[in-house]
Amino acid sequence: QNRPFFLWLHFMDPHGPYFSAPPPIRQEVPAEDGLKDLKLPVGKSNFGENIIPKYQALRNRPGTAQYRQRHRAEVRWTDRMIGRVLGELERLGLENNTLVLITADHGEHLGEKEIHFQHGLHVYEPTANVPLAFRLKGKIPAAAVRATNVSLVDILPTIRAGLGLEANDAVDGRDLSRELNNLAAP
């Protein structure tokens, strides 16, 4: 318990074909979300726009609303799994000296701006705006939010600084430590 450790958990969810969340979780998520429910054709490949990628095609060929509902269920399921990890850190007595970082590589267009099943051709908010959350009890106030954007390239300089390593000019990004330490609790 007193030795340093590094743990990388790669949650693949939420990710198409959106079937990892158990049915009870899917039932918790409302189907209606204000976006159009379209019947899109299944593509011949796994890449395209305004088609259902081949690997995401569900047997019953539902409309886009069901895919969005399943996506939101996977977000909820992943949130619960992260909660289990945080609970285990607490159970092991590691919550006060463990930096937890949560992020994603990209979002997904699921009907916003009338773009479906796409994350590589556009840089609109649904694909470019991803979570970047740091948790370090006693150092970063819980639920504090920074109102302006940062970049994922800021992760490495921030962790390096937190480990007491000297800044490296060959590394892009900037150290967010000072900003994280100065966040006000809500």
Side-chain angles (χ1 to χ4, degrees):
Q1 285 188 356
N2 293 326
R3 294 185 348 198
F5 71 95
F6 176 83
L7 173 64
W8 172 286
L9 290 177
H10 183 143
F11 290 99
M12 194 59 185
D13 309 311
H15 197 283
Y18 310 125
F19 61 76
S20 67
I25 302 295
R26 285 198 302 257
Q27 292 167 1
E28 291 176 14
V29 178
E32 181 53 45
D33 60 8
L35 296 173
K36 293 178 187 172
D37 185 17
L38 303 174
K39 291 278 190 181
L40 296 176
V42 175
K44 294 184 183 338
S45 74
N46 291 333
F47 186 78
E49 183 176 318
N50 295 328
I51 60 157
I52 298 173
K54 191 175 179 181
Y55 78 98
Q56 284 191 238
L58 299 171
R59 286 184 197 178
N60 63 349
R61 305 278 301 271
T64 54
Q66 187 175 347
Y67 283 95
R68 288 191 302 270
Q69 180 184 25
R70 286 170 167 262
H71 179 269
R72 290 191 309 275
E74 285 196 358
V75 169
R76 185 172 288 196
W77 179 244
T78 301
D79 182 64
R80 289 190 183 166
M81 294 303 99
I82 291 169
R84 287 180 64 184
V85 171
L86 296 177
E88 189 63 14
L89 287 173
E90 200 168 314
R91 188 187 74 74
L92 294 170
L94 299 171
E95 77 278 9
N96 291 325
N97 62 353
T98 300
L99 171 65
V100 176
L101 188 143
I102 300 167
T103 193
D105 59 340
H106 61 80
E108 185 80 17
H109 275 281
L110 293 171
E112 306 85 1
K113 296 199 176 284
E114 298 190 24
I115 301 169
H116 298 84
F117 300 102
Q118 182 48 247
H119 61 260
L121 297 175
H122 308 282
V123 289
Y124 295 119
E125 186 171 337
T127 57
N129 189 8
V130 297
L132 177 57
F134 291 89
R135 177 182 182 262
L136 185 57
K137 280 195 167 185
K139 299 271 187 175
I140 303 170
V145 175
R146 186 177 189 279
T148 58
N149 292 333
V150 296
S151 175
L152 295 180
V153 299
D154 298 331
I155 293 172
L156 181 57
T158 304
I159 291 174
R160 286 180 61 86
L163 292 172
L165 300 174
E166 180 175 314
N168 181 340
D169 291 338
V171 174
D172 288 335
R174 61 194 175 93
D175 172 18
L176 301 173
S177 300
R178 188 173 302 128
E179 294 173 54
L180 291 169
N181 291 332
N182 291 330
L183 287 173

